[in-house]
Amino acid sequence: MTVTDMSQGKRFFASENVYLPHIAIIEKVIDETPGVKTFHFNFKDEKLRKEFSFKSGQFAEYSVLGVGEAPFCISSSPSRSDHLEFATQQVGKVTNALHRLGVGAEIGFRGPYGNGFPLDFLQGKNLVFVGGGIGLAPLRSLIWNAIDNRDKYENIDIIYGARSPDDLCFKYDLDTWDKDKTINIISTIDREDKSWSGRVGFVPKVLEEVAPSASNAVAIVCGPPVMIRFTFPVLIKLGFTPEQMITTLEKKMTCGIGKCGRCNIGNLYVCRDGPVFTYAQIKNFVSSEY
Ligand code: FES
């Protein structure tokens, strides 16, 4: 299976100019960790608000007027459509500007772009989510989507980690999933911490200890490059084939629509051919790029 042939969500361009964003209003801001915020938003245009659609795993370009734009996945689920969400870490000019915005502020939005997760391929399978840090953002869109369509999937395992308890994102989701008897979730932190009574250890190590079965399963992985790099060999050891391993990348994207040529890994464009890839598609580039 490749994940380049999936139909995309419905796009709405404000005009012939594909770089012209739609205006969206921030409705809520959540402090996830000291450097990460989640923004809830909705389009200013009533019609667009009603008709916009996207797929879990797709991304968009978000802009702050006069500052610039940056790509992030849509972190909410299409199965919960009263508003949209994205999460971003404060790492540069655009994200600094976004982090200064509050409820009522306007942002620009272009998208949705990219392929999204292959829902048809995932249906009827055991889903093994492996996430680290803010890498849970794209996974949570699919996790909520799977929960809202629970009968379409078999077991759901989530292994999620961060450096410290403070660095765990979406704690409210982790709590909710922890209470859901149909989900097996394990949260871990890298090093012992007085405030933490849960699991301790790097995500790939915990994954190896938990050892989810590869039978009829797909692993969906997203996190820091070092986590991704060490997670794939563990999955292979557990019996997952490269086709059963999926990840989503956000690397180096600028235009978001296959025009600037900045986001290539090998002969693939992350924005146009991804951002969701099977390990089979990217394994030749993982050691050097991820
Ligand atoms: S971001 Fe411009 S080609 Fe991919």
Side-chain angles (χ1 to χ4, degrees):
M1 187 211 60
T2 69
V3 287
T4 56
D5 57 353
M6 293 170 294
S7 64
Q8 302 191 351
K10 195 171 178 183
R11 283 184 194 166
F12 291 84
F13 293 122
S15 78
E16 288 300 307
N17 181 353
V18 294
Y19 294 104
L20 197 62
H22 297 291
I23 303 301
I25 313 286
I26 293 173
E27 295 183 335
K28 186 175 176 180
V29 182
I30 300 172
D31 288 307
E32 300 285 353
T33 75
V36 175
K37 288 185 180 187
T38 287
F39 296 86
H40 293 203
F41 65 98
N42 244 318
F43 296 111
K44 204 169 179 178
D45 182 275
E46 195 77 32
K47 188 166 183 285
L48 182 57
R49 194 182 294 196
K50 284 198 189 101
E51 295 181 359
F52 180 82
S53 68
F54 70 101
K55 292 177 63 174
S56 288
Q58 286 192 300
F59 71 97
E61 293 280 348
Y62 302 82
S63 53
V64 179
L65 196 65
V67 180
E69 63 178 5
F72 314 108
C73 71
I74 302 171
S75 62
S76 47
S77 170
S79 56
R80 300 175 177 218
S81 57
D82 59 324
H83 68 274
L84 296 159
E85 297 176 28
F86 72 96
T88 177
Q89 190 159 21
Q90 201 174 359
V91 288
K93 199 171 61 152
V94 177
T95 52
N96 281 338
L98 282 167
H99 274 234
R100 284 195 293 271
L101 299 179
V103 172
E106 291 190 354
I107 56 169
F109 176 101
R110 298 196 278 125
Y113 298 137
N115 54 4
F117 291 109
L119 296 185
D120 290 346
F121 175 67
L122 297 175
Q123 281 185 20
K125 304 257 191 345
N126 298 314
L127 306 182
V128 179
F129 292 94
V130 186
I134 195 174
L136 187 57
L139 302 186
R140 82 186 275 270
S141 175
L142 181 57
I143 292 169
W144 278 118
N145 205 342
I147 289 171
D148 291 339
N149 296 278
R150 194 64 191 85
D151 54 327
K152 292 186 178 165
Y153 304 93
E154 297 297 324
N155 298 337
I156 297 179
D157 289 299
I158 303 168
I159 296 162
Y160 172 62
R163 273 179 307 186
S164 71
D166 282 351
D167 293 311
L168 292 166
C169 295
F170 310 108
K171 294 182 187 74
Y172 39 93
D173 285 343
L174 302 178
D175 288 345
T176 306
W177 299 335
D178 198 36
K179 292 187 186 103
D180 187 331
K181 298 280 180 268
T182 73
I183 294 172
N184 175 35
I185 176 166
I186 292 169
S187 301
T188 180
I189 59 165
D190 291 352
R191 279 174 285 277
E192 300 275 356
D193 187 288
K194 277 193 209 105
S195 67
W196 180 253
S197 56
R199 200 121 180 177
V200 176
F202 294 111
V203 167
K205 181 172 165 281
V206 173
L207 172 68
E208 190 165 7
E209 288 164 4
V210 174
S213 168
S215 175
N216 190 40
V218 180
I220 305 114
V221 182
C222 190
V226 66
M227 189 213 86
I228 293 180
R229 197 161 61 236
F230 284 101
T231 294
F232 285 138
V234 173
L235 289 168
I236 288 167
K237 209 165 149 185
L238 294 172
F240 286 78
T241 66
E243 296 284 340
Q244 285 175 279
M245 294 148 64
I246 287 175
T247 190
T248 174
L249 310 173
E250 270 179 4
K251 193 169 170 133
K252 299 185 289 191
M253 288 194 288
T254 304
C255 72
I257 51 175
K259 297 212 182 285
C260 73
R262 298 263 178 87
C263 67
N264 70 300
I265 50 167
N267 59 351
L268 297 168
Y269 279 1
V270 173
C271 70
R272 188 193 60 196
D273 302 315
V276 177
F277 297 97
T278 63
Y279 181 63
Q281 289 175 289
I282 60 164
K283 63 182 177 185
N284 293 337
F285 317 117
V286 167
S287 55
S288 58
E289 302 266 351
Y290 286 88

